[in-house]
Amino acid sequence: MKIAMGNDHAATGLKWVIKEYVEGMGHEVVNFGTDDNESCDYPAFGKAVGEAVAKGEADCGILICGTGVGISIAANKVKGVRAAVCSDVTTAHLVKEHNNANIIAFGARIVGEELAKDIVKSYLTAEFEGGRHQRRIDLIHDIEG
């Protein structure tokens, strides 16, 4: 699977840990984030990952900022993106199973390295259930216009 990854300065360290972890699972990671700790603007990275996923250039995305919230809001402005903030493993697999989220986000200031790995694994191994959930996703897409 090809995974787009984006981060801001608050999450550079955790980005490298997660990138290595995801590659160790056999996935390809495309880095759209900053590689240093200089202050930068997370919306650009959320947009870049959102566009890559929406265009089909990546199968899904992982976003990391201080809380995961700001960068996910930016990604969700891209038509076709369903980015969800996850701070626990249950949410991580449910956003895939029920919402078919194509991007997850979490906060480097909120979750530690091991929990972040567990969240990523839970998300990447979950499968969309379809059925009644697809109808709801269609309704979400109708809102996009």
Side-chain angles (χ1 to χ4, degrees), residues 23-105:
E23 289 172 340
M25 295 174 73
H27 304 293
E28 177 184 354
V29 174
V30 181
N31 179 12
F32 288 91
T34 186
D35 292 338
D36 60 44
N37 297 321
E38 291 292 318
S39 182
C40 60
D41 298 321
Y42 60 79
F45 305 115
K47 179 183 178 196
V49 169
E51 288 176 344
V53 171
K55 292 176 184 174
E57 296 168 359
D59 298 301
C60 64
I62 298 172
L63 293 170
I64 317 169
C65 67
T67 64
V69 175
I71 203 165
S72 69
I73 290 171
N76 276 319
K77 298 299 181 181
V78 177
K79 187 173 182 173
V81 167
R82 290 175 309 283
V85 178
C86 302
S87 297
D88 61 85
V89 295
T90 301
T91 302
H93 72 83
L94 286 173
V95 299
K96 182 65 171 182
E97 291 173 355
H98 292 188
N99 310 111
N100 203 15
N102 48 17
I103 298 175
I104 59 164

